[in-house]
Amino acid sequence: MATQAKRGRVAGPVGGGDADPDPVAGFLSWCRQVGLELSPKVAVSRQGTVAGYGMVARESVQPGELLFAVPRAALLSQHTCSIGGLLERERGALQSQSGWVPLLLALLHELQAPASPWSPYFALWPELGRLEHPMFWPEEERRRLLQGTGVPEAVEKDLANIRSEYYSIVLPFMEAHPDLFSPRVRSLELYRQLVALVMAYSFQEPLEEEDDEKEPNSPLMNCLRMVATQPIPKGHEIFNTYGQMANWQLIHMYGFVEPYPDNTDDTADIQMVTVREAALQGTKAEAERLLLHERWDFLCKLEMVGEEGAFVIGREEVLTEEELTTTLKVLCMPAEEFREFKAKDGWGDNKREDDSLTITNIPNLKESWKQLLRNSVLLTLQTYATDLKSEQDLLSNKEVYTKLSWREQQALQVRYGQKMILHQLLELTT
């Protein structure tokens, strides 16, 4: 995969002079200086790439072959930057929920430094003002195009956290060290752009097992070794895999999606509270509603549901099978059975073969389970501003589709992929 950001001029050091006329040559020269090993089988280029600068195979590459190796000293992190000692001494004051503040401060400092060792690397960055993450879309456009997908809510949380982090930690630190941070980098907008860049382009080194309980591991803006995981034909662009991610996650974190049906890891969410709402709609008397709330509270105690959680449905599997199975079971079981189940704290329940919540087994579920699941899907589909047929009409009309803006096309792919999964569930529960 590769980010589909629009091509444009690249970002040099903040407030710097003219852009390097040949940034690739400068970058390759820097690679040799820092001991970065680049395979002779690959080339850094803007030719033959999807977006901006990329890596292209000069010759065919086999799985396991080294593409490049970066010495630790060349890694850009809070430890290797020129203010690493200060960031280490102030580590306690720079702690945050994200764990990214020290790295972001390192970037803010190095970006403005004309003699930064990483200037040739910065010259290959995409233009910061043209990043296509939804956090940079106008709020009205984001809500209109991505309503129901979960992206607007995720972005709003991000923006609130970024703003809080910037004004409570980052800006006071920069103001306390005016000799290290010029006024031109004291900007919430620039900080947001760097967060998006770190989100899209950084790597995290895995924590040692004994470090699992420590604070979040800070990302690095590079890696140590990159090897091919599959055959790469000559002339093909080489992509880094982002792992198994749904389209809503790709557009949220990286600013692009894979067109339907290419993303086999796509998913649709059913909010946990939506299942509760669907169950409440099926109650008639107050006693039934009270019992349903008691069942929900018990599911919360079992840590199967939460007010902000979601059941995740893939094309071929339910990724939250245990949580959804338990929820359907508890909400649909007879009252006396629930009393016994609750008395045992959920233990001693024998799972039946028919209760397996795989996609292929959904038609075999109990009717009450299928009805609740179906009603939950119908409520979820109501959260979108458009229906599936509208999306299908846009996608099937090439002339109309090509006239859509880039953002409209990306958002359409997110919505369509999710709705296809939800409609599959509707068919399976009919």
Side-chain angles (χ1 to χ4, degrees):
M1 288 186 269
T3 52
Q4 308 288 309
K6 296 178 182 176
R7 294 176 186 270
R9 70 173 179 80
V10 293
V14 174
D18 295 335
D20 185 340
D22 189 359
V24 171
F27 175 71
L28 294 176
S29 175
W30 174 78
C31 289
R32 290 189 290 271
Q33 291 171 20
V34 300
L36 190 152
E37 178 187 351
L38 195 65
S39 167
K41 290 188 174 184
V42 303
V44 178
S45 173
R46 291 193 75 154
Q47 308 303 316
T49 62
V50 173
Y53 293 98
M55 183 172 283
V56 178
R58 285 175 163 167
E59 304 173 31
S60 60
V61 178
Q62 298 306 312
E65 285 194 62
L66 178 71
L67 300 171
F68 59 86
V70 186
R72 282 188 179 273
L75 297 175
L76 175 48
S77 75
Q78 67 268 31
H79 307 296
T80 57
C81 70
S82 58
I83 58 169
L86 173 64
L87 295 175
E88 178 60 29
R89 289 193 300 275
E90 298 290 335
R91 183 171 58 172
L94 300 177
Q95 287 184 344
S96 68
Q97 185 179 0
S98 71
W100 291 8
V101 168
L103 173 62
L104 290 161
L105 283 167
L107 289 177
L108 286 165
H109 173 72
E110 296 294 343
L111 272 174
Q112 56 159 22
S116 170
W118 288 278
S119 291
Y121 167 57
F122 296 147
L124 299 190
W125 275 14
E127 184 185 352
L128 294 178
R130 297 181 66 181
L131 296 173
E132 279 290 1
H133 300 64
M135 72 163 65
F136 301 112
W137 302 8
E139 183 179 358
E140 182 279 327
E141 183 178 26
R142 184 168 61 236
R143 287 197 163 277
R144 174 170 50 83
L145 295 180
L146 293 167
Q147 178 183 326
T149 65
V151 175
E153 294 79 7
V155 168
E156 282 161 22
K157 283 184 183 178
D158 287 345
L159 292 176
N161 290 336
I162 290 168
R163 184 179 181 83
S164 172
E165 195 172 81
Y166 178 76
Y167 283 112
S168 65
I169 305 174
V170 176
L171 184 58
F173 184 84
M174 290 195 290
E175 290 177 337
H177 302 280
D179 55 320
L180 299 176
F181 300 94
S182 66
R184 62 179 175 266
V185 296
R186 296 179 214 164
S187 155
L188 175 60
E189 181 62 19
L190 176 59
Y191 189 71
R192 285 172 54 200
Q193 292 167 349
L194 292 180
V195 168
L197 206 80
V198 169
M199 198 156 53
Y201 293 107
S202 67
F203 292 83
Q204 282 181 298
E205 288 194 284
L207 286 168
E208 299 294 332
E209 285 188 20
E210 61 268 21
D211 291 338
D212 284 349
E213 300 302 318
K214 291 187 180 179
E215 62 188 69
N217 203 17
S218 181
L220 302 169
M221 291 303 290
N222 242 316
C223 67
L224 294 177
R225 286 169 57 86
M226 186 71 79
V227 298
T229 58
Q230 62 187 57
I232 305 169
K234 178 181 178 180
H236 280 223
E237 186 174 3
I238 300 170
F239 300 128
N240 168 50
T241 177
Y242 295 138
Q244 296 176 308
M245 302 188 78
N247 266 348
W248 81 264
Q249 294 170 307
L250 287 175
I251 198 168
H252 172 220
M253 294 185 66
Y254 303 105
F256 78 99
V257 302
E258 292 188 280
Y260 187 87
D262 293 355
N263 189 352
T264 56
D265 297 312
D266 209 4
T267 62
D269 287 358
I270 299 175
Q271 296 301 312
M272 291 174 172
V273 293
T274 300
V275 178
R276 181 181 64 190
E277 183 184 349
L280 278 169
Q281 288 181 355
T283 61
K284 297 172 183 175
E286 180 64 19
E288 288 181 54
R289 286 190 283 274
L290 289 173
L291 179 58
L292 192 135
H293 283 296
E294 183 182 344
R295 294 172 191 251
W296 186 262
D297 291 341
F298 182 64
L299 286 167
C300 290
K301 180 184 174 184
L302 294 179
E303 298 184 343
M304 290 292 158
V305 297
E307 292 299 306
E308 295 189 358
F311 300 113
V312 184
I313 318 295
R315 289 192 198 168
E316 298 180 359
E317 62 178 334
V318 178
L319 278 69
T320 52
E321 181 183 356
E322 181 186 3
E323 291 84 353
L324 185 52
T325 300
T326 305
T327 299
L328 294 174
K329 184 194 301 287
V330 170
L331 294 183
C332 294
M333 63 175 49
E336 188 55 40
E337 188 179 338
F338 169 65
R339 296 288 178 212
E340 294 177 14
F341 189 71
K342 185 179 179 183
K344 296 177 182 177
D345 271 339
W347 290 94
D349 181 61
N350 295 319
K351 185 177 179 182
R352 302 187 321 163
E353 186 81 19
D354 289 349
D355 294 345
S356 172
L357 203 64
T358 59
I359 293 293
T360 53
N361 195 55
I362 285 176
N364 301 324
L365 295 177
K366 297 173 184 174
E367 285 303 317
S368 59
W369 290 31
K370 286 194 290 184
Q371 187 62 49
L372 178 53
L373 187 55
R374 179 179 177 80
N375 291 342
S376 301
V377 172
L378 289 170
L379 284 176
T380 300
L381 286 167
Q382 290 175 16
T383 64
Y384 296 93
T386 54
D387 59 18
L388 181 65
K389 186 178 185 307
S390 302
E391 319 287 36
Q392 287 172 329
D393 290 344
L394 283 173
L395 284 168
S396 61
N397 190 327
K398 191 172 182 180
E399 184 179 352
V400 173
Y401 182 78
T402 54
K403 290 180 180 177
L404 297 176
S405 71
W406 186 87
R407 290 174 181 176
E408 288 172 333
Q409 290 179 358
Q410 300 292 289
L412 173 59
Q413 295 289 350
V414 176
R415 299 192 308 263
Y416 184 69
Q418 292 182 351
K419 290 176 188 177
M420 286 296 286
I421 291 171
L422 293 170
H423 276 267
Q424 179 189 25
L425 270 184
L426 280 185
E427 292 174 11
L428 292 170
T429 53
T430 300

CSV table of all heavy atoms in Angstrom, one decimal, residues 123-167:
chain,number,residue,atom,x,y,z
A,123,ALA,N,13.5,17.1,2.8
A,123,ALA,CA,13.2,17.6,1.4
A,123,ALA,C,12.4,16.6,0.6
A,123,ALA,O,11.8,17.0,-0.4
A,123,ALA,CB,14.6,17.8,0.7
A,124,LEU,N,12.3,15.3,1.1
A,124,LEU,CA,11.4,14.4,0.4
A,124,LEU,C,10.0,14.3,1.0
A,124,LEU,O,9.2,13.5,0.5
A,124,LEU,CB,12.1,13.0,0.4
A,124,LEU,CG,13.4,12.8,-0.3
A,124,LEU,CD1,13.8,11.4,-0.4
A,124,LEU,CD2,13.4,13.5,-1.7
A,125,TRP,N,9.8,15.0,2.0
A,125,TRP,CA,8.4,14.9,2.7
A,125,TRP,C,7.4,15.5,1.7
A,125,TRP,O,7.6,16.4,0.9
A,125,TRP,CB,8.4,15.8,3.9
A,125,TRP,CG,8.9,15.1,5.2
A,125,TRP,CD1,9.6,13.9,5.2
A,125,TRP,CD2,8.8,15.5,6.5
A,125,TRP,NE1,9.9,13.6,6.5
A,125,TRP,CE2,9.4,14.6,7.3
A,125,TRP,CE3,8.3,16.6,7.1
A,125,TRP,CZ2,9.5,14.7,8.7
A,125,TRP,CZ3,8.3,16.8,8.5
A,125,TRP,CH2,8.9,15.8,9.3
A,126,PRO,N,6.1,15.0,1.9
A,126,PRO,CA,5.0,15.7,1.1
A,126,PRO,C,4.8,17.1,1.7
A,126,PRO,O,5.2,17.4,2.8
A,126,PRO,CB,3.8,14.8,1.4
A,126,PRO,CG,4.2,14.1,2.7
A,126,PRO,CD,5.7,13.9,2.7
A,127,GLU,N,4.2,17.9,0.9
A,127,GLU,CA,4.0,19.3,1.3
A,127,GLU,C,3.0,19.2,2.5
A,127,GLU,O,1.9,18.7,2.4
A,127,GLU,CB,3.4,20.1,0.2
A,127,GLU,CG,3.2,21.6,0.6
A,127,GLU,CD,2.5,22.4,-0.5
A,127,GLU,OE1,2.3,21.8,-1.6
A,127,GLU,OE2,2.1,23.5,-0.2
A,128,LEU,N,3.4,19.8,3.6
A,128,LEU,CA,2.5,19.6,4.8
A,128,LEU,C,1.2,20.2,4.7
A,128,LEU,O,0.2,19.8,5.3
A,128,LEU,CB,3.3,20.2,6.1
A,128,LEU,CG,4.6,19.5,6.5
A,128,LEU,CD1,5.2,20.2,7.6
A,128,LEU,CD2,4.3,18.1,6.8
A,129,GLY,N,1.1,21.3,3.9
A,129,GLY,CA,-0.2,22.0,3.7
A,129,GLY,C,-1.2,21.2,2.8
A,129,GLY,O,-2.3,21.7,2.6
A,130,ARG,N,-0.7,20.1,2.2
A,130,ARG,CA,-1.6,19.4,1.3
A,130,ARG,C,-1.8,17.9,1.8
A,130,ARG,O,-2.2,17.1,1.0
A,130,ARG,CB,-1.0,19.4,-0.1
A,130,ARG,CG,-0.9,20.8,-0.7
A,130,ARG,CD,-0.3,20.8,-2.1
A,130,ARG,NE,-1.2,20.1,-3.0
A,130,ARG,CZ,-0.9,20.0,-4.3
A,130,ARG,NH1,0.3,20.4,-4.8
A,130,ARG,NH2,-1.7,19.4,-5.1
A,131,LEU,N,-1.7,17.7,3.0
A,131,LEU,CA,-2.0,16.3,3.6
A,131,LEU,C,-3.5,16.1,3.5
A,131,LEU,O,-4.3,17.0,3.7
A,131,LEU,CB,-1.5,16.2,5.0
A,131,LEU,CG,0.0,16.3,5.3
A,131,LEU,CD1,0.3,16.4,6.8
A,131,LEU,CD2,0.7,15.1,4.6
A,132,GLU,N,-3.9,14.9,3.1
A,132,GLU,CA,-5.3,14.6,2.9
A,132,GLU,C,-6.0,13.9,4.0
A,132,GLU,O,-7.1,13.3,3.7
A,132,GLU,CB,-5.5,13.9,1.5
A,132,GLU,CG,-5.4,14.8,0.3
A,132,GLU,CD,-6.6,15.7,0.2
A,132,GLU,OE1,-7.5,15.7,1.0
A,132,GLU,OE2,-6.7,16.5,-0.8
A,133,HIS,N,-5.4,13.8,5.2
A,133,HIS,CA,-6.1,13.2,6.3
A,133,HIS,C,-7.4,13.9,6.5
A,133,HIS,O,-7.5,15.2,6.4
A,133,HIS,CB,-5.3,13.2,7.5
A,133,HIS,CG,-4.0,12.5,7.4
A,133,HIS,ND1,-3.0,12.9,6.6
A,133,HIS,CD2,-3.5,11.4,8.1
A,133,HIS,CE1,-2.0,12.1,6.7
A,133,HIS,NE2,-2.2,11.2,7.6
A,134,PRO,N,-8.5,13.2,6.9
A,134,PRO,CA,-9.8,13.9,7.2
A,134,PRO,C,-9.7,15.0,8.3
A,134,PRO,O,-10.6,15.9,8.3
A,134,PRO,CB,-10.7,12.8,7.6
A,134,PRO,CG,-10.2,11.6,6.9
A,134,PRO,CD,-8.7,11.8,6.9
A,135,MET,N,-8.7,14.9,9.1
A,135,MET,CA,-8.5,16.0,10.2
A,135,MET,C,-8.3,17.4,9.5
A,135,MET,O,-8.5,18.4,10.2
A,135,MET,CB,-7.4,15.7,11.2
A,135,MET,CG,-6.0,15.8,10.7
A,135,MET,SD,-4.8,15.9,12.0
A,135,MET,CE,-5.0,14.2,12.8
A,136,PHE,N,-7.9,17.4,8.2
A,136,PHE,CA,-7.6,18.7,7.6
A,136,PHE,C,-8.8,19.1,6.7
A,136,PHE,O,-8.7,20.1,6.0
A,136,PHE,CB,-6.3,18.6,6.8
A,136,PHE,CG,-5.1,18.3,7.6
A,136,PHE,CD1,-4.5,17.0,7.5
A,136,PHE,CD2,-4.7,19.1,8.6
A,136,PHE,CE1,-3.4,16.7,8.2
A,136,PHE,CE2,-3.6,18.8,9.4
A,136,PHE,CZ,-2.9,17.6,9.2
A,137,TRP,N,-9.8,18.3,6.6
A,137,TRP,CA,-11.0,18.6,5.8
A,137,TRP,C,-11.8,19.6,6.7
A,137,TRP,O,-11.9,19.5,7.9
A,137,TRP,CB,-11.9,17.4,5.5
A,137,TRP,CG,-11.2,16.3,4.7
A,137,TRP,CD1,-9.9,16.2,4.4
A,137,TRP,CD2,-11.9,15.1,4.2
A,137,TRP,NE1,-9.7,15.0,3.7
A,137,TRP,CE2,-10.9,14.4,3.6
A,137,TRP,CE3,-13.2,14.7,4.2
A,137,TRP,CZ2,-11.2,13.1,3.0
A,137,TRP,CZ3,-13.5,13.5,3.6
A,137,TRP,CH2,-12.5,12.7,3.0
A,138,PRO,N,-12.6,20.5,6.0
A,138,PRO,CA,-13.5,21.3,6.8
A,138,PRO,C,-14.5,20.4,7.5
A,138,PRO,O,-14.9,19.4,7.0
A,138,PRO,CB,-14.2,22.1,5.7
A,138,PRO,CG,-13.2,22.2,4.6
A,138,PRO,CD,-12.5,20.9,4.6
A,139,GLU,N,-14.9,20.8,8.7
A,139,GLU,CA,-15.8,20.0,9.5
A,139,GLU,C,-17.1,19.6,8.8
A,139,GLU,O,-17.5,18.4,8.8
A,139,GLU,CB,-16.1,20.6,10.8
A,139,GLU,CG,-17.0,19.8,11.8
A,139,GLU,CD,-17.3,20.5,13.1
A,139,GLU,OE1,-16.8,21.6,13.3
A,139,GLU,OE2,-18.0,19.9,13.9
A,140,GLU,N,-17.7,20.6,8.1
A,140,GLU,CA,-18.9,20.3,7.4
A,140,GLU,C,-18.7,19.2,6.3
A,140,GLU,O,-19.5,18.3,6.2
A,140,GLU,CB,-19.4,21.6,6.7
A,140,GLU,CG,-20.8,21.5,6.0
A,140,GLU,CD,-20.6,20.9,4.6
A,140,GLU,OE1,-19.6,21.1,3.9
A,140,GLU,OE2,-21.6,20.1,4.2
A,141,GLU,N,-17.6,19.3,5.6
A,141,GLU,CA,-17.3,18.3,4.5
A,141,GLU,C,-17.1,17.0,5.1
A,141,GLU,O,-17.5,15.9,4.6
A,141,GLU,CB,-16.1,18.8,3.7
A,141,GLU,CG,-15.8,17.9,2.5
A,141,GLU,CD,-14.6,18.4,1.7
A,141,GLU,OE1,-13.8,19.1,2.2
A,141,GLU,OE2,-14.6,18.1,0.5
A,142,ARG,N,-16.3,16.9,6.2
A,142,ARG,CA,-16.0,15.7,6.9
A,142,ARG,C,-17.3,15.0,7.3
A,142,ARG,O,-17.4,13.7,7.1
A,142,ARG,CB,-15.1,15.9,8.0
A,142,ARG,CG,-14.6,14.7,8.7
A,142,ARG,CD,-13.4,15.0,9.7
A,142,ARG,NE,-13.8,16.0,10.7
A,142,ARG,CZ,-13.2,17.1,10.9
A,142,ARG,NH1,-12.2,17.5,10.2
A,142,ARG,NH2,-13.6,17.9,11.9
A,143,ARG,N,-18.2,15.7,7.9
A,143,ARG,CA,-19.4,15.1,8.5
A,143,ARG,C,-20.3,14.7,7.3
A,143,ARG,O,-20.9,13.6,7.3
A,143,ARG,CB,-20.1,16.1,9.4
A,143,ARG,CG,-19.4,16.3,10.7
A,143,ARG,CD,-20.4,16.9,11.7
A,143,ARG,NE,-19.9,16.7,13.1
A,143,ARG,CZ,-20.1,15.6,13.8
A,143,ARG,NH1,-20.8,14.6,13.3
A,143,ARG,NH2,-19.6,15.5,15.0
A,144,ARG,N,-20.4,15.5,6.3
A,144,ARG,CA,-21.3,15.2,5.2
A,144,ARG,C,-20.8,14.0,4.4
A,144,ARG,O,-21.7,13.1,4.0
A,144,ARG,CB,-21.3,16.4,4.2
A,144,ARG,CG,-22.1,16.2,2.9
A,144,ARG,CD,-22.3,17.5,2.2
A,144,ARG,NE,-21.1,18.3,2.0
A,144,ARG,CZ,-20.2,18.0,1.0
A,144,ARG,NH1,-20.4,17.1,0.1
A,144,ARG,NH2,-19.1,18.8,0.9
A,145,LEU,N,-19.5,13.8,4.2
A,145,LEU,CA,-19.0,12.7,3.4
A,145,LEU,C,-18.8,11.4,4.1
A,145,LEU,O,-18.9,10.4,3.6
A,145,LEU,CB,-17.7,13.1,2.7
A,145,LEU,CG,-17.8,14.3,1.7
A,145,LEU,CD1,-16.4,14.6,1.1
A,145,LEU,CD2,-18.8,13.9,0.5
A,146,LEU,N,-18.6,11.6,5.4
A,146,LEU,CA,-18.2,10.4,6.2
A,146,LEU,C,-19.1,10.1,7.3
A,146,LEU,O,-18.8,9.2,8.2
A,146,LEU,CB,-16.7,10.6,6.8
A,146,LEU,CG,-15.6,10.6,5.7
A,146,LEU,CD1,-14.3,11.1,6.3
A,146,LEU,CD2,-15.4,9.2,5.1
A,147,GLN,N,-20.3,10.7,7.3
A,147,GLN,CA,-21.3,10.4,8.4
A,147,GLN,C,-21.6,8.9,8.4
A,147,GLN,O,-21.9,8.3,7.4
A,147,GLN,CB,-22.6,11.2,8.1
A,147,GLN,CG,-23.7,10.9,9.1
A,147,GLN,CD,-25.0,11.7,8.7
A,147,GLN,OE1,-24.9,12.8,8.2
A,147,GLN,NE2,-26.1,11.1,8.9
A,148,GLY,N,-21.6,8.3,9.6
A,148,GLY,CA,-21.9,6.9,9.8
A,148,GLY,C,-20.7,6.0,9.7
A,148,GLY,O,-20.8,4.8,10.1
A,149,THR,N,-19.6,6.5,9.2
A,149,THR,CA,-18.4,5.6,9.0
A,149,THR,C,-17.6,5.5,10.3
A,149,THR,O,-16.7,4.6,10.4
A,149,THR,CB,-17.5,6.1,7.9
A,149,THR,OG1,-17.0,7.4,8.3
A,149,THR,CG2,-18.3,6.3,6.6
A,150,GLY,N,-17.8,6.3,11.2
A,150,GLY,CA,-17.0,6.3,12.4
A,150,GLY,C,-15.8,7.3,12.4
A,150,GLY,O,-15.1,7.6,13.4
A,151,VAL,N,-15.5,7.8,11.2
A,151,VAL,CA,-14.3,8.7,11.0
A,151,VAL,C,-14.5,10.0,11.6
A,151,VAL,O,-13.6,10.5,12.3
A,151,VAL,CB,-13.9,8.8,9.5
A,151,VAL,CG1,-12.8,9.8,9.3
A,151,VAL,CG2,-13.6,7.5,8.9
A,152,PRO,N,-15.6,10.7,11.4
A,152,PRO,CA,-15.8,12.0,12.1
A,152,PRO,C,-15.6,12.0,13.6
A,152,PRO,O,-14.9,12.9,14.2
A,152,PRO,CB,-17.2,12.5,11.7
A,152,PRO,CG,-17.5,11.7,10.4
A,152,PRO,CD,-16.8,10.4,10.6
A,153,GLU,N,-16.1,11.0,14.2
A,153,GLU,CA,-16.0,10.9,15.7
A,153,GLU,C,-14.5,10.6,16.1
A,153,GLU,O,-14.0,11.2,17.1
A,153,GLU,CB,-16.8,9.7,16.2
A,153,GLU,CG,-18.3,10.0,16.1
A,153,GLU,CD,-18.9,9.7,14.7
A,153,GLU,OE1,-18.1,9.2,13.8
A,153,GLU,OE2,-20.1,10.0,14.4
A,154,ALA,N,-13.8,9.8,15.3
A,154,ALA,CA,-12.4,9.5,15.6
A,154,ALA,C,-11.6,10.8,15.4
A,154,ALA,O,-10.6,11.1,16.2
A,154,ALA,CB,-11.9,8.4,14.7
A,155,VAL,N,-11.9,11.5,14.4
A,155,VAL,CA,-11.1,12.8,14.1
A,155,VAL,C,-11.3,13.8,15.2
A,155,VAL,O,-10.4,14.5,15.6
A,155,VAL,CB,-11.5,13.3,12.7
A,155,VAL,CG1,-10.9,14.7,12.5
A,155,VAL,CG2,-11.0,12.4,11.6
A,156,GLU,N,-12.6,13.9,15.6
A,156,GLU,CA,-12.9,14.9,16.6
A,156,GLU,C,-12.1,14.6,17.9
A,156,GLU,O,-11.7,15.5,18.6
A,156,GLU,CB,-14.4,15.0,16.9
A,156,GLU,CG,-15.1,15.8,15.8
A,156,GLU,CD,-16.6,15.5,15.7
A,156,GLU,OE1,-17.2,15.0,16.7
A,156,GLU,OE2,-17.2,15.7,14.7
A,157,LYS,N,-12.0,13.3,18.3
A,157,LYS,CA,-11.2,13.0,19.4
A,157,LYS,C,-9.8,13.3,19.2
A,157,LYS,O,-9.1,13.8,20.1
A,157,LYS,CB,-11.4,11.5,19.7
A,157,LYS,CG,-12.7,11.0,20.3
A,157,LYS,CD,-12.6,9.5,20.6
A,157,LYS,CE,-14.0,9.1,21.2
A,157,LYS,NZ,-14.0,7.6,21.5
A,158,ASP,N,-9.3,13.0,18.0
A,158,ASP,CA,-7.9,13.4,17.7
A,158,ASP,C,-7.6,14.9,17.9
A,158,ASP,O,-6.6,15.3,18.5
A,158,ASP,CB,-7.5,13.0,16.3
A,158,ASP,CG,-7.4,11.5,16.1
A,158,ASP,OD1,-7.2,10.8,17.1
A,158,ASP,OD2,-7.4,11.0,15.0
A,159,LEU,N,-8.5,15.7,17.3
A,159,LEU,CA,-8.3,17.1,17.3
A,159,LEU,C,-8.3,17.7,18.7
A,159,LEU,O,-7.6,18.6,19.1
A,159,LEU,CB,-9.3,17.8,16.4
A,159,LEU,CG,-9.2,17.5,14.9
A,159,LEU,CD1,-10.3,18.2,14.1
A,159,LEU,CD2,-7.9,18.0,14.4
A,160,ALA,N,-9.3,17.1,19.5
A,160,ALA,CA,-9.3,17.6,20.9
A,160,ALA,C,-8.1,17.2,21.7
A,160,ALA,O,-7.6,18.0,22.4
A,160,ALA,CB,-10.6,17.0,21.6
A,161,ASN,N,-7.6,16.0,21.5
A,161,ASN,CA,-6.4,15.5,22.2
A,161,ASN,C,-5.2,16.3,21.7
A,161,ASN,O,-4.3,16.7,22.5
A,161,ASN,CB,-6.1,14.1,21.9
A,161,ASN,CG,-7.2,13.2,22.6
A,161,ASN,OD1,-7.8,13.6,23.6
A,161,ASN,ND2,-7.4,12.0,22.2
A,162,ILE,N,-5.1,16.6,20.4
A,162,ILE,CA,-3.9,17.3,19.8
A,162,ILE,C,-3.9,18.8,20.4
A,162,ILE,O,-2.9,19.3,20.8
A,162,ILE,CB,-4.0,17.4,18.3
A,162,ILE,CG1,-3.7,16.0,17.7
A,162,ILE,CG2,-3.0,18.4,17.7
A,162,ILE,CD1,-4.0,15.9,16.2
A,163,ARG,N,-5.1,19.4,20.4
A,163,ARG,CA,-5.2,20.8,20.9
A,163,ARG,C,-4.8,20.8,22.4
A,163,ARG,O,-4.0,21.7,22.8
A,163,ARG,CB,-6.6,21.3,20.7
A,163,ARG,CG,-6.8,22.7,21.2
A,163,ARG,CD,-8.2,23.2,20.9
A,163,ARG,NE,-8.4,24.6,21.3
A,163,ARG,CZ,-8.1,25.6,20.5
A,163,ARG,NH1,-7.6,25.4,19.3
A,163,ARG,NH2,-8.3,26.8,20.9
A,164,SER,N,-5.3,19.9,23.2
A,164,SER,CA,-5.0,19.8,24.6
A,164,SER,C,-3.5,19.6,24.8
A,164,SER,O,-2.9,20.3,25.7
A,164,SER,CB,-5.8,18.7,25.3
A,164,SER,OG,-5.4,18.6,26.6
A,165,GLU,N,-3.0,18.7,24.1
A,165,GLU,CA,-1.5,18.3,24.2
A,165,GLU,C,-0.7,19.5,23.9
A,165,GLU,O,0.3,19.8,24.5
A,165,GLU,CB,-1.2,17.1,23.3
A,165,GLU,CG,0.1,16.4,23.6
A,165,GLU,CD,0.2,15.2,22.8
A,165,GLU,OE1,0.5,15.2,21.6
A,165,GLU,OE2,-0.1,14.1,23.3
A,166,TYR,N,-1.1,20.2,22.8
A,166,TYR,CA,-0.3,21.3,22.3
A,166,TYR,C,-0.2,22.5,23.3
A,166,TYR,O,0.8,23.0,23.7
A,166,TYR,CB,-0.8,21.8,21.0
A,166,TYR,CG,-0.1,23.0,20.4
A,166,TYR,CD1,1.2,22.9,19.9
A,166,TYR,CD2,-0.6,24.3,20.5
A,166,TYR,CE1,1.9,24.0,19.4
A,166,TYR,CE2,0.1,25.4,20.0
A,166,TYR,CZ,1.3,25.3,19.5
A,166,TYR,OH,2.0,26.4,19.0
A,167,TYR,N,-1.4,22.9,23.8
A,167,TYR,CA,-1.5,24.1,24.7
A,167,TYR,C,-1.1,23.8,26.1
A,167,TYR,O,-0.6,24.7,26.8
A,167,TYR,CB,-2.9,24.6,24.7
A,167,TYR,CG,-3.2,25.4,23.4
A,167,TYR,CD1,-4.1,25.0,22.5
A,167,TYR,CD2,-2.5,26.6,23.1
A,167,TYR,CE1,-4.3,25.7,21.3
A,167,TYR,CE2,-2.7,27.3,22.0
A,167,TYR,CZ,-3.6,26.9,21.1
A,167,TYR,OH,-3.8,27.6,19.9
